[in-house]
Amino acid sequence: MDQFEKELSSYVGIKSATALSSGTAAIHLGLKALGVGKGDIVFCQSLTFSASCNPIVYEGATPVFIDSEYETWNMDPKALEKAFEKYTPKAVVVVHLYGTPAKMDEIIEICHKHHVPILEDAAESLGATYHKKQTGTFGDYGVYSFNGNKIITTSGGGMLVSNNEEGIQKAHFWATQSREKERFYEHKEIGYNYRLSNICAGIGRGQLKVLDERIAEKKAIYERYQNAFQDIKEIKMQPYLADSVPNFWLSAMILDQTCSYSPLQIIESLEASQIESRHIWKPMHLQPFYHSSDFITLCESSSVAEDIFKRGLCLPSDTKMTIEDQNRVILKIRNLFT
Ligand SMILES: Cc1ncc(COP(=O)(O)O)c(C=O)c1O
């Protein structure tokens, strides 16, 4: 277990890490380490998977959702700035969607100005870099997931990382049922069974060795799609910043406003050939559970997150897919447009 934590810390370049049973558990304990509790406000990117924000609610805090921008699909620094005019949050949860780094310079500057810590949800972006620095190492705490669908997997698992060694030790303590150092079982605080098993940690060590290879394969998949669709003006792949290198975990595309197909029509058309593609994450502010949560967007009448959700889709991106398999996906989509 310790070796997995050390090896991952050294890979991403951070002081300490604690291996946990899931990325969700890591977000939960990261928020607790930041002191998030009852009655607090926490800002969170709306365009994400529900695990980015559910732990805010576990702690009795209230999420306020922030809109995205079109250059990375992640938290819009301008919408974040606007949110600070209305609220004083306890923390900000930033996500690197589908492995594409967010605009961290701007986000960090705003959060520093307001003295508010960042929890970086890098569950999808292990190995992605921004200004040559690993995602997950910019925030006060960073989170990775080793869920079955992620770029490397332990079947289920996660990691909380930080340069704050004390904070990581505290998270480790909570994750092991908050058991005090006594001969008998003594608990002064609520605890959790969130530790990763040794077997899973062993798998994780093996997986870390193939991470760079996986990233190269995922990049090749993204670039094959990009090249194959470059003459179709209705299709654009998820963009990324010039000074960032995504891990290309999922290849996602967006359809032009003028496109006569909806993502659902493309998903169904692929499905007819036994090809699985998916919608973009449905933004959190549109989820029935979060219907009463506030959502901060630059323009009251439109939302970038909603627009990306309505026009985007995730393409098959598994590294087990052969070039022939991918060509079949490409041909099927090209036939719709040409
Ligand atoms: C953006 C994001 N955050 C958090 C998680 C949670 O990770 P886990 O499934 O390991 O709990 C996931 C993936 O599942 C995710 O995609």
Side-chain angles (χ1 to χ4, degrees):
M1 178 86 75
D2 294 359
Q3 285 308 317
F4 183 37
E5 289 164 346
K6 280 191 189 124
E7 285 162 12
L8 184 122
S9 303
S10 130
Y11 182 92
V12 300
I14 203 142
K15 274 193 193 150
S16 55
T18 186
L20 300 169
S21 53
S22 69
T24 311
I27 295 172
H28 186 188
L29 297 188
L31 290 172
K32 258 178 87 78
L34 290 174
V36 170
K38 212 170 169 13
D40 288 329
I41 297 279
V42 176
F43 291 167
C44 180
Q45 183 167 319
S46 184
L47 190 59
T48 186
F49 178 55
S50 61
S52 303
C53 57
N54 284 344
I56 299 170
V57 179
Y58 301 167
E59 282 306 306
T62 304
V64 167
F65 295 110
I66 313 291
D67 203 6
S68 285
E69 35 77 11
Y70 286 112
E71 285 168 272
T72 73
W73 298 6
N74 292 304
M75 184 179 280
D76 182 352
K78 293 197 188 79
L80 176 64
E81 185 78 82
K82 186 174 167 190
F84 272 107
E85 288 165 17
K86 194 165 171 188
Y87 299 102
T88 305
K90 189 83 179 180
V92 175
V93 179
V94 186
V95 186
H96 305 290
L97 206 69
Y98 303 134
T100 298
K103 292 186 172 179
M104 290 312 291
D105 276 355
E106 292 93 324
I107 291 168
I108 289 169
E109 195 187 324
I110 295 164
C111 291
H112 279 181
K113 191 171 84 189
H114 295 276
H115 309 289
V116 172
I118 296 173
L119 187 141
E120 221 186 324
D121 180 351
E124 301 176 356
S125 70
L126 177 62
T129 58
Y130 176 85
H131 292 197
K132 298 204 167 81
K133 186 172 145 95
Q134 291 281 327
T135 56
T137 65
F138 289 87
D140 297 75
Y141 288 90
V143 166
Y144 302 108
S145 165
F146 311 116
N147 190 27
N149 63 352
K150 294 297 183 291
I151 195 148
I152 60 166
T153 177
T154 56
S155 80
M159 193 82 81
L160 181 69
V161 303
S162 180
N163 283 318
N164 178 344
E165 288 169 272
E166 223 176 281
I168 290 295
Q169 268 165 26
K170 190 75 201 198
H172 173 91
F173 169 76
W174 288 322
T176 42
Q177 304 286 19
S178 297
R179 188 182 166 193
E180 299 290 338
K181 284 194 184 104
E182 297 283 358
R183 293 187 80 87
F184 41 84
Y185 285 83
E186 175 95 340
H187 305 279
K188 293 180 184 157
E189 286 184 65
I190 190 77
Y192 305 87
N193 180 11
Y194 275 176
R195 209 57 188 132
L196 187 72
S197 76
N198 278 324
I199 293 171
C200 290
I203 297 170
R205 292 186 67 193
Q207 288 273 293
L208 256 187
K209 293 196 171 74
V210 298
L211 176 56
D212 290 340
E213 212 173 288
R214 289 271 164 82
I215 295 172
E217 287 166 352
K218 293 276 192 186
K219 184 175 184 210
I221 291 170
Y222 175 96
E223 287 178 347
R224 278 199 289 273
Y225 282 129
Q226 192 170 48
N227 292 335
F229 301 142
Q230 66 184 357
D231 60 326
I232 303 174
K233 70 166 181 23
E234 290 98 331
I235 298 178
K236 291 273 176 299
M237 298 301 292
Q238 180 182 8
Y240 56 94
L241 302 172
D243 48 7
S244 78
V245 184
N247 69 357
F248 301 97
W249 170 58
L250 265 190
S251 286
M253 68 181 214
I254 187 160
L255 298 164
D256 195 74
Q257 276 106 339
T258 60
C259 183
S260 49
Y261 298 109
S262 68
L264 182 61
Q265 284 171 309
I266 295 179
I267 289 168
E268 285 176 344
S269 153
L270 291 172
E271 218 165 57
S273 304
Q274 278 81 49
I275 297 168
E276 192 192 10
S277 58
R278 294 211 183 156
H279 284 285
I280 298 293
W281 298 129
K282 181 176 178 182
M284 289 304 118
H285 71 278
L286 299 179
Q287 298 292 345
F289 181 78
Y290 288 111
H291 77 277
S292 56
S293 302
D294 201 359
F295 171 58
I296 308 292
T297 174
L298 284 184
C299 171
E300 294 306 328
S301 60
S302 67
S303 141
V304 175
E306 260 174 78
D307 184 41
I308 294 172
F309 168 61
K310 282 190 192 131
R311 295 195 287 123
L313 74 147
C314 297
L315 296 165
S317 309
D318 198 314
T319 50
K320 289 190 291 299
M321 178 171 65
T322 63
I323 294 189
E324 291 72 39
D325 290 338
Q326 195 180 355
N327 282 343
R328 217 162 63 81
V329 180
I330 289 169
L331 195 65
K332 193 85 196 143
I333 296 175
R334 281 193 65 83
N335 283 343
L336 293 171
F337 289 90
T338 51

